[in-house]
Amino acid sequence: MQLNNNKEYLTIALPKGKLFSLSADLLAKVGYTAEGLTDKSRKLVITNEEKKLRFIITKTADVPTYVEYGAADLGVIGKDVLAENGMDVYELLDLGFGRCHVMMAVPKAERRPQLTDYAQTRVATKFPHIAEQFFSAHGMQMEYIKLNGSIELGPIVGLSESIVDIVETGTTLKENDLEEIAYIMDATARLVANRVSFKLKFERIHKLTEELRKVLALEKGAAQ
Ligand code: PRP
């Protein structure tokens, strides 16, 4: 199926997983929704003809790619994934949800006294670019082992001495006897736009961004 009339439609890329329902729920509050929009859907493009809206559902790490190349006008993605990919997209709005932080953790039982004691060791991570920036800033050369999930397994099975990964509740670290030893960066979900779409579809994108901003401000006010 080839998608036509791209100019007429606003296409939004949503990530599968933790951010999906939070993103879909927020967009629904400003009337941006479509019938059958769930991340369990086997249909990967879900259209709302009346509103000329298209949602595409992709792997989290691929959202910036679809947006950068203009296959999607907009996308929702964690700041961690954005920072890792270094994609050339506009960051329009901090959506506030999906709050987590990127950090370095090691097995509790083998904790070394100082960060620099880990120089020249192996780090398992989904974020080799963020990790490299962090360790370089500390003058440390490391060996990066790229994993795509279950990063915490790395030090347990002897694949690496440490991990660089995101922490949300801390449960995964705890259950695997790992301890955070260095904070790297905070992350929340962001609304991003393709640079050309932002100009060509400015009115629609600007209107949506402002409507979302209002909903977020109201929710923040109600929570305080
Ligand atoms: C993320 C991350 C940690 C976990 C942290 O993994 O990589 O493993 O969540 O969350 P917690 O602090 O609340 O325990 P995710 O669930 O996205 O799956 P993955 O391991 O397959 O990447």
PDB file of all heavy atoms in Angstrom, residues 8-41:
ATOM      1  N   GLU A   8      -2.070  16.486   2.135  1.00  0.00           N
ATOM      2  CA  GLU A   8      -3.404  16.687   2.699  1.00  0.00           C
ATOM      3  C   GLU A   8      -3.486  16.169   4.141  1.00  0.00           C
ATOM      4  O   GLU A   8      -4.226  16.688   4.954  1.00  0.00           O
ATOM      5  CB  GLU A   8      -4.377  15.916   1.825  1.00  0.00           C
ATOM      6  CG  GLU A   8      -5.777  16.447   1.817  1.00  0.00           C
ATOM      7  CD  GLU A   8      -6.668  15.534   0.999  1.00  0.00           C
ATOM      8  OE1 GLU A   8      -6.173  14.936   0.010  1.00  0.00           O
ATOM      9  OE2 GLU A   8      -7.813  15.376   1.396  1.00  0.00           O
ATOM     10  N   TYR A   9      -2.726  15.131   4.424  1.00  0.00           N
ATOM     11  CA  TYR A   9      -2.806  14.477   5.734  1.00  0.00           C
ATOM     12  C   TYR A   9      -1.701  14.965   6.676  1.00  0.00           C
ATOM     13  O   TYR A   9      -0.609  15.327   6.230  1.00  0.00           O
ATOM     14  CB  TYR A   9      -2.645  12.961   5.581  1.00  0.00           C
ATOM     15  CG  TYR A   9      -3.857  12.295   4.984  1.00  0.00           C
ATOM     16  CD1 TYR A   9      -4.033  12.266   3.603  1.00  0.00           C
ATOM     17  CD2 TYR A   9      -4.821  11.711   5.786  1.00  0.00           C
ATOM     18  CE1 TYR A   9      -5.146  11.667   3.035  1.00  0.00           C
ATOM     19  CE2 TYR A   9      -5.939  11.110   5.233  1.00  0.00           C
ATOM     20  CZ  TYR A   9      -6.092  11.085   3.857  1.00  0.00           C
ATOM     21  OH  TYR A   9      -7.199  10.495   3.315  1.00  0.00           O
ATOM     22  N   LEU A  10      -2.000  14.898   7.969  1.00  0.00           N
ATOM     23  CA  LEU A  10      -0.956  15.105   8.963  1.00  0.00           C
ATOM     24  C   LEU A  10      -0.621  13.715   9.495  1.00  0.00           C
ATOM     25  O   LEU A  10      -1.503  13.005   9.979  1.00  0.00           O
ATOM     26  CB  LEU A  10      -1.475  16.000  10.088  1.00  0.00           C
ATOM     27  CG  LEU A  10      -0.414  16.496  11.067  1.00  0.00           C
ATOM     28  CD1 LEU A  10       0.520  17.499  10.370  1.00  0.00           C
ATOM     29  CD2 LEU A  10      -1.062  17.189  12.260  1.00  0.00           C
ATOM     30  N   THR A  11       0.634  13.326   9.360  1.00  0.00           N
ATOM     31  CA  THR A  11       1.026  11.971   9.764  1.00  0.00           C
ATOM     32  C   THR A  11       1.832  12.037  11.063  1.00  0.00           C
ATOM     33  O   THR A  11       2.812  12.777  11.152  1.00  0.00           O
ATOM     34  CB  THR A  11       1.861  11.301   8.652  1.00  0.00           C
ATOM     35  OG1 THR A  11       1.076  11.314   7.458  1.00  0.00           O
ATOM     36  CG2 THR A  11       2.217   9.872   9.000  1.00  0.00           C
ATOM     37  N   ILE A  12       1.395  11.260  12.048  1.00  0.00           N
ATOM     38  CA  ILE A  12       2.040  11.269  13.375  1.00  0.00           C
ATOM     39  C   ILE A  12       2.602   9.879  13.664  1.00  0.00           C
ATOM     40  O   ILE A  12       1.868   8.889  13.611  1.00  0.00           O
ATOM     41  CB  ILE A  12       1.024  11.661  14.476  1.00  0.00           C
ATOM     42  CG1 ILE A  12       0.360  13.001  14.132  1.00  0.00           C
ATOM     43  CG2 ILE A  12       1.706  11.723  15.843  1.00  0.00           C
ATOM     44  CD1 ILE A  12      -0.696  13.456  15.129  1.00  0.00           C
ATOM     45  N   ALA A  13       3.895   9.800  13.966  1.00  0.00           N
ATOM     46  CA  ALA A  13       4.515   8.507  14.313  1.00  0.00           C
ATOM     47  C   ALA A  13       4.467   8.323  15.824  1.00  0.00           C
ATOM     48  O   ALA A  13       4.923   9.182  16.583  1.00  0.00           O
ATOM     49  CB  ALA A  13       5.970   8.483  13.836  1.00  0.00           C
ATOM     50  N   LEU A  14       3.885   7.197  16.240  1.00  0.00           N
ATOM     51  CA  LEU A  14       3.810   6.892  17.668  1.00  0.00           C
ATOM     52  C   LEU A  14       4.651   5.656  17.972  1.00  0.00           C
ATOM     53  O   LEU A  14       4.635   4.694  17.201  1.00  0.00           O
ATOM     54  CB  LEU A  14       2.357   6.630  18.076  1.00  0.00           C
ATOM     55  CG  LEU A  14       1.397   7.815  17.964  1.00  0.00           C
ATOM     56  CD1 LEU A  14      -0.006   7.406  18.405  1.00  0.00           C
ATOM     57  CD2 LEU A  14       1.878   8.994  18.806  1.00  0.00           C
ATOM     58  N   PRO A  15       5.397   5.681  19.095  1.00  0.00           N
ATOM     59  CA  PRO A  15       6.240   4.534  19.433  1.00  0.00           C
ATOM     60  C   PRO A  15       5.447   3.426  20.124  1.00  0.00           C
ATOM     61  O   PRO A  15       4.582   3.707  20.954  1.00  0.00           O
ATOM     62  CB  PRO A  15       7.245   5.138  20.415  1.00  0.00           C
ATOM     63  CG  PRO A  15       6.503   6.263  21.069  1.00  0.00           C
ATOM     64  CD  PRO A  15       5.495   6.773  20.081  1.00  0.00           C
ATOM     65  N   LYS A  16       5.753   2.200  19.782  1.00  0.00           N
ATOM     66  CA  LYS A  16       5.167   1.068  20.511  1.00  0.00           C
ATOM     67  C   LYS A  16       5.719   1.099  21.926  1.00  0.00           C
ATOM     68  O   LYS A  16       6.772   1.673  22.173  1.00  0.00           O
ATOM     69  CB  LYS A  16       5.639  -0.247  19.876  1.00  0.00           C
ATOM     70  CG  LYS A  16       4.960  -0.558  18.581  1.00  0.00           C
ATOM     71  CD  LYS A  16       5.449  -1.909  18.097  1.00  0.00           C
ATOM     72  CE  LYS A  16       4.888  -2.185  16.723  1.00  0.00           C
ATOM     73  NZ  LYS A  16       5.458  -3.348  16.103  1.00  0.00           N
ATOM     74  N   GLY A  17       5.043   0.414  22.840  1.00  0.00           N
ATOM     75  CA  GLY A  17       5.604   0.289  24.195  1.00  0.00           C
ATOM     76  C   GLY A  17       5.069   1.303  25.168  1.00  0.00           C
ATOM     77  O   GLY A  17       3.965   1.819  24.998  1.00  0.00           O
ATOM     78  N   LYS A  18       5.907   1.609  26.175  1.00  0.00           N
ATOM     79  CA  LYS A  18       5.457   2.409  27.318  1.00  0.00           C
ATOM     80  C   LYS A  18       4.839   3.757  26.935  1.00  0.00           C
ATOM     81  O   LYS A  18       3.921   4.222  27.588  1.00  0.00           O
ATOM     82  CB  LYS A  18       6.633   2.680  28.255  1.00  0.00           C
ATOM     83  CG  LYS A  18       7.062   1.454  29.038  1.00  0.00           C
ATOM     84  CD  LYS A  18       8.272   1.770  29.908  1.00  0.00           C
ATOM     85  CE  LYS A  18       8.820   0.514  30.545  1.00  0.00           C
ATOM     86  NZ  LYS A  18      10.097   0.726  31.235  1.00  0.00           N
ATOM     87  N   LEU A  19       5.389   4.407  25.898  1.00  0.00           N
ATOM     88  CA  LEU A  19       4.908   5.752  25.574  1.00  0.00           C
ATOM     89  C   LEU A  19       3.647   5.746  24.725  1.00  0.00           C
ATOM     90  O   LEU A  19       3.003   6.788  24.562  1.00  0.00           O
ATOM     91  CB  LEU A  19       6.001   6.538  24.831  1.00  0.00           C
ATOM     92  CG  LEU A  19       7.277   6.877  25.601  1.00  0.00           C
ATOM     93  CD1 LEU A  19       8.216   7.701  24.731  1.00  0.00           C
ATOM     94  CD2 LEU A  19       6.956   7.629  26.892  1.00  0.00           C
ATOM     95  N   PHE A  20       3.280   4.583  24.173  1.00  0.00           N
ATOM     96  CA  PHE A  20       2.174   4.577  23.210  1.00  0.00           C
ATOM     97  C   PHE A  20       0.861   5.077  23.803  1.00  0.00           C
ATOM     98  O   PHE A  20       0.277   6.037  23.310  1.00  0.00           O
ATOM     99  CB  PHE A  20       1.968   3.192  22.584  1.00  0.00           C
ATOM    100  CG  PHE A  20       0.840   3.206  21.598  1.00  0.00           C
ATOM    101  CD1 PHE A  20       1.071   3.588  20.284  1.00  0.00           C
ATOM    102  CD2 PHE A  20      -0.454   2.922  21.988  1.00  0.00           C
ATOM    103  CE1 PHE A  20       0.026   3.681  19.380  1.00  0.00           C
ATOM    104  CE2 PHE A  20      -1.507   3.007  21.088  1.00  0.00           C
ATOM    105  CZ  PHE A  20      -1.266   3.376  19.783  1.00  0.00           C
ATOM    106  N   SER A  21       0.386   4.426  24.875  1.00  0.00           N
ATOM    107  CA  SER A  21      -0.945   4.787  25.371  1.00  0.00           C
ATOM    108  C   SER A  21      -0.950   6.192  25.964  1.00  0.00           C
ATOM    109  O   SER A  21      -1.930   6.932  25.820  1.00  0.00           O
ATOM    110  CB  SER A  21      -1.456   3.758  26.379  1.00  0.00           C
ATOM    111  OG  SER A  21      -0.531   3.641  27.413  1.00  0.00           O
ATOM    112  N   LEU A  22       0.170   6.596  26.578  1.00  0.00           N
ATOM    113  CA  LEU A  22       0.247   7.958  27.121  1.00  0.00           C
ATOM    114  C   LEU A  22       0.135   8.981  25.985  1.00  0.00           C
ATOM    115  O   LEU A  22      -0.563   9.990  26.098  1.00  0.00           O
ATOM    116  CB  LEU A  22       1.579   8.136  27.865  1.00  0.00           C
ATOM    117  CG  LEU A  22       1.732   7.302  29.144  1.00  0.00           C
ATOM    118  CD1 LEU A  22       3.186   7.238  29.586  1.00  0.00           C
ATOM    119  CD2 LEU A  22       0.869   7.885  30.267  1.00  0.00           C
ATOM    120  N   SER A  23       0.802   8.697  24.866  1.00  0.00           N
ATOM    121  CA  SER A  23       0.758   9.612  23.718  1.00  0.00           C
ATOM    122  C   SER A  23      -0.628   9.618  23.094  1.00  0.00           C
ATOM    123  O   SER A  23      -1.193  10.687  22.814  1.00  0.00           O
ATOM    124  CB  SER A  23       1.746   9.162  22.624  1.00  0.00           C
ATOM    125  OG  SER A  23       2.997   8.902  23.170  1.00  0.00           O
ATOM    126  N   ALA A  24      -1.184   8.422  22.872  1.00  0.00           N
ATOM    127  CA  ALA A  24      -2.504   8.322  22.233  1.00  0.00           C
ATOM    128  C   ALA A  24      -3.567   8.988  23.111  1.00  0.00           C
ATOM    129  O   ALA A  24      -4.441   9.693  22.605  1.00  0.00           O
ATOM    130  CB  ALA A  24      -2.842   6.864  21.965  1.00  0.00           C
ATOM    131  N   ASP A  25      -3.479   8.813  24.428  1.00  0.00           N
ATOM    132  CA  ASP A  25      -4.465   9.424  25.335  1.00  0.00           C
ATOM    133  C   ASP A  25      -4.370  10.952  25.297  1.00  0.00           C
ATOM    134  O   ASP A  25      -5.377  11.647  25.267  1.00  0.00           O
ATOM    135  CB  ASP A  25      -4.244   8.957  26.783  1.00  0.00           C
ATOM    136  CG  ASP A  25      -4.622   7.493  26.967  1.00  0.00           C
ATOM    137  OD1 ASP A  25      -5.203   6.911  26.023  1.00  0.00           O
ATOM    138  OD2 ASP A  25      -4.331   6.931  28.043  1.00  0.00           O
ATOM    139  N   LEU A  26      -3.146  11.463  25.298  1.00  0.00           N
ATOM    140  CA  LEU A  26      -2.975  12.913  25.262  1.00  0.00           C
ATOM    141  C   LEU A  26      -3.518  13.492  23.948  1.00  0.00           C
ATOM    142  O   LEU A  26      -4.251  14.481  23.940  1.00  0.00           O
ATOM    143  CB  LEU A  26      -1.492  13.281  25.432  1.00  0.00           C
ATOM    144  CG  LEU A  26      -1.186  14.775  25.328  1.00  0.00           C
ATOM    145  CD1 LEU A  26      -1.815  15.540  26.497  1.00  0.00           C
ATOM    146  CD2 LEU A  26       0.311  15.033  25.287  1.00  0.00           C
ATOM    147  N   LEU A  27      -3.186  12.851  22.836  1.00  0.00           N
ATOM    148  CA  LEU A  27      -3.653  13.347  21.540  1.00  0.00           C
ATOM    149  C   LEU A  27      -5.181  13.283  21.444  1.00  0.00           C
ATOM    150  O   LEU A  27      -5.818  14.159  20.853  1.00  0.00           O
ATOM    151  CB  LEU A  27      -2.994  12.553  20.398  1.00  0.00           C
ATOM    152  CG  LEU A  27      -1.519  12.890  20.175  1.00  0.00           C
ATOM    153  CD1 LEU A  27      -0.820  11.809  19.366  1.00  0.00           C
ATOM    154  CD2 LEU A  27      -1.386  14.253  19.475  1.00  0.00           C
ATOM    155  N   ALA A  28      -5.760  12.259  22.054  1.00  0.00           N
ATOM    156  CA  ALA A  28      -7.225  12.110  22.022  1.00  0.00           C
ATOM    157  C   ALA A  28      -7.906  13.273  22.745  1.00  0.00           C
ATOM    158  O   ALA A  28      -8.999  13.691  22.380  1.00  0.00           O
ATOM    159  CB  ALA A  28      -7.626  10.782  22.652  1.00  0.00           C
ATOM    160  N   LYS A  29      -7.216  13.820  23.756  1.00  0.00           N
ATOM    161  CA  LYS A  29      -7.807  14.936  24.516  1.00  0.00           C
ATOM    162  C   LYS A  29      -7.990  16.188  23.660  1.00  0.00           C
ATOM    163  O   LYS A  29      -8.748  17.075  23.998  1.00  0.00           O
ATOM    164  CB  LYS A  29      -6.928  15.266  25.724  1.00  0.00           C
ATOM    165  CG  LYS A  29      -7.090  14.236  26.825  1.00  0.00           C
ATOM    166  CD  LYS A  29      -6.232  14.549  28.021  1.00  0.00           C
ATOM    167  CE  LYS A  29      -6.320  13.375  28.997  1.00  0.00           C
ATOM    168  NZ  LYS A  29      -5.219  13.336  29.921  1.00  0.00           N
ATOM    169  N   VAL A  30      -7.230  16.293  22.570  1.00  0.00           N
ATOM    170  CA  VAL A  30      -7.424  17.445  21.680  1.00  0.00           C
ATOM    171  C   VAL A  30      -8.094  16.995  20.374  1.00  0.00           C
ATOM    172  O   VAL A  30      -8.003  17.665  19.343  1.00  0.00           O
ATOM    173  CB  VAL A  30      -6.089  18.193  21.406  1.00  0.00           C
ATOM    174  CG1 VAL A  30      -5.549  18.797  22.693  1.00  0.00           C
ATOM    175  CG2 VAL A  30      -5.052  17.284  20.761  1.00  0.00           C
ATOM    176  N   GLY A  31      -8.725  15.826  20.441  1.00  0.00           N
ATOM    177  CA  GLY A  31      -9.505  15.341  19.293  1.00  0.00           C
ATOM    178  C   GLY A  31      -8.694  14.634  18.222  1.00  0.00           C
ATOM    179  O   GLY A  31      -9.195  14.329  17.153  1.00  0.00           O
ATOM    180  N   TYR A  32      -7.416  14.396  18.499  1.00  0.00           N
ATOM    181  CA  TYR A  32      -6.574  13.699  17.531  1.00  0.00           C
ATOM    182  C   TYR A  32      -6.566  12.208  17.843  1.00  0.00           C
ATOM    183  O   TYR A  32      -5.792  11.739  18.671  1.00  0.00           O
ATOM    184  CB  TYR A  32      -5.144  14.251  17.560  1.00  0.00           C
ATOM    185  CG  TYR A  32      -4.977  15.491  16.731  1.00  0.00           C
ATOM    186  CD1 TYR A  32      -5.728  16.639  17.014  1.00  0.00           C
ATOM    187  CD2 TYR A  32      -4.093  15.531  15.666  1.00  0.00           C
ATOM    188  CE1 TYR A  32      -5.597  17.777  16.247  1.00  0.00           C
ATOM    189  CE2 TYR A  32      -3.959  16.674  14.888  1.00  0.00           C
ATOM    190  CZ  TYR A  32      -4.714  17.786  15.188  1.00  0.00           C
ATOM    191  OH  TYR A  32      -4.582  18.906  14.417  1.00  0.00           O
ATOM    192  N   THR A  33      -7.442  11.501  17.168  1.00  0.00           N
ATOM    193  CA  THR A  33      -7.517  10.070  17.408  1.00  0.00           C
ATOM    194  C   THR A  33      -8.021   9.383  16.144  1.00  0.00           C
ATOM    195  O   THR A  33      -8.336  10.047  15.161  1.00  0.00           O
ATOM    196  CB  THR A  33      -8.404   9.769  18.634  1.00  0.00           C
ATOM    197  OG1 THR A  33      -8.305   8.390  18.956  1.00  0.00           O
ATOM    198  CG2 THR A  33      -9.864  10.151  18.401  1.00  0.00           C
ATOM    199  N   ALA A  34      -8.061   8.073  16.177  1.00  0.00           N
ATOM    200  CA  ALA A  34      -8.579   7.337  15.018  1.00  0.00           C
ATOM    201  C   ALA A  34      -9.106   6.005  15.511  1.00  0.00           C
ATOM    202  O   ALA A  34      -8.618   5.479  16.523  1.00  0.00           O
ATOM    203  CB  ALA A  34      -7.477   7.126  13.986  1.00  0.00           C
ATOM    204  N   GLU A  35     -10.093   5.486  14.791  1.00  0.00           N
ATOM    205  CA  GLU A  35     -10.686   4.222  15.203  1.00  0.00           C
ATOM    206  C   GLU A  35      -9.659   3.095  15.075  1.00  0.00           C
ATOM    207  O   GLU A  35      -8.963   2.994  14.066  1.00  0.00           O
ATOM    208  CB  GLU A  35     -11.879   3.933  14.289  1.00  0.00           C
ATOM    209  CG  GLU A  35     -12.955   3.157  14.998  1.00  0.00           C
ATOM    210  CD  GLU A  35     -14.110   2.878  14.057  1.00  0.00           C
ATOM    211  OE1 GLU A  35     -14.575   3.822  13.402  1.00  0.00           O
ATOM    212  OE2 GLU A  35     -14.487   1.698  13.995  1.00  0.00           O
ATOM    213  N   GLY A  36      -9.535   2.292  16.133  1.00  0.00           N
ATOM    214  CA  GLY A  36      -8.623   1.144  16.077  1.00  0.00           C
ATOM    215  C   GLY A  36      -7.187   1.506  16.398  1.00  0.00           C
ATOM    216  O   GLY A  36      -6.266   0.742  16.107  1.00  0.00           O
ATOM    217  N   LEU A  37      -6.979   2.684  17.003  1.00  0.00           N
ATOM    218  CA  LEU A  37      -5.600   3.092  17.319  1.00  0.00           C
ATOM    219  C   LEU A  37      -5.127   2.441  18.618  1.00  0.00           C
ATOM    220  O   LEU A  37      -5.407   2.927  19.711  1.00  0.00           O
ATOM    221  CB  LEU A  37      -5.530   4.627  17.441  1.00  0.00           C
ATOM    222  CG  LEU A  37      -4.149   5.214  17.715  1.00  0.00           C
ATOM    223  CD1 LEU A  37      -3.190   4.918  16.578  1.00  0.00           C
ATOM    224  CD2 LEU A  37      -4.241   6.722  17.930  1.00  0.00           C
ATOM    225  N   THR A  38      -4.440   1.308  18.494  1.00  0.00           N
ATOM    226  CA  THR A  38      -3.811   0.669  19.653  1.00  0.00           C
ATOM    227  C   THR A  38      -2.474   0.117  19.175  1.00  0.00           C
ATOM    228  O   THR A  38      -2.298  -0.126  17.979  1.00  0.00           O
ATOM    229  CB  THR A  38      -4.619  -0.533  20.231  1.00  0.00           C
ATOM    230  OG1 THR A  38      -4.290  -1.691  19.471  1.00  0.00           O
ATOM    231  CG2 THR A  38      -6.097  -0.296  20.208  1.00  0.00           C
ATOM    232  N   ASP A  39      -1.536  -0.084  20.112  1.00  0.00           N
ATOM    233  CA  ASP A  39      -0.237  -0.609  19.655  1.00  0.00           C
ATOM    234  C   ASP A  39      -0.274  -2.125  19.479  1.00  0.00           C
ATOM    235  O   ASP A  39       0.733  -2.735  19.129  1.00  0.00           O
ATOM    236  CB  ASP A  39       0.933  -0.150  20.531  1.00  0.00           C
ATOM    237  CG  ASP A  39       0.845  -0.654  21.950  1.00  0.00           C
ATOM    238  OD1 ASP A  39      -0.233  -1.147  22.350  1.00  0.00           O
ATOM    239  OD2 ASP A  39       1.856  -0.556  22.665  1.00  0.00           O
ATOM    240  N   LYS A  40      -1.450  -2.716  19.718  1.00  0.00           N
ATOM    241  CA  LYS A  40      -1.602  -4.155  19.457  1.00  0.00           C
ATOM    242  C   LYS A  40      -2.060  -4.365  18.014  1.00  0.00           C
ATOM    243  O   LYS A  40      -2.107  -5.485  17.528  1.00  0.00           O
ATOM    244  CB  LYS A  40      -2.646  -4.772  20.404  1.00  0.00           C
ATOM    245  CG  LYS A  40      -2.378  -4.548  21.885  1.00  0.00           C
ATOM    246  CD  LYS A  40      -1.286  -5.470  22.411  1.00  0.00           C
ATOM    247  CE  LYS A  40      -0.884  -5.145  23.832  1.00  0.00           C
ATOM    248  NZ  LYS A  40      -0.145  -3.898  24.021  1.00  0.00           N
ATOM    249  N   SER A  41      -2.421  -3.244  17.379  1.00  0.00           N
ATOM    250  CA  SER A  41      -2.958  -3.344  16.022  1.00  0.00           C
ATOM    251  C   SER A  41      -1.902  -3.919  15.072  1.00  0.00           C
ATOM    252  O   SER A  41      -0.734  -3.545  15.122  1.00  0.00           O
ATOM    253  CB  SER A  41      -3.358  -1.942  15.554  1.00  0.00           C
ATOM    254  OG  SER A  41      -3.573  -1.943  14.173  1.00  0.00           O
TER     255      SER A  41
END
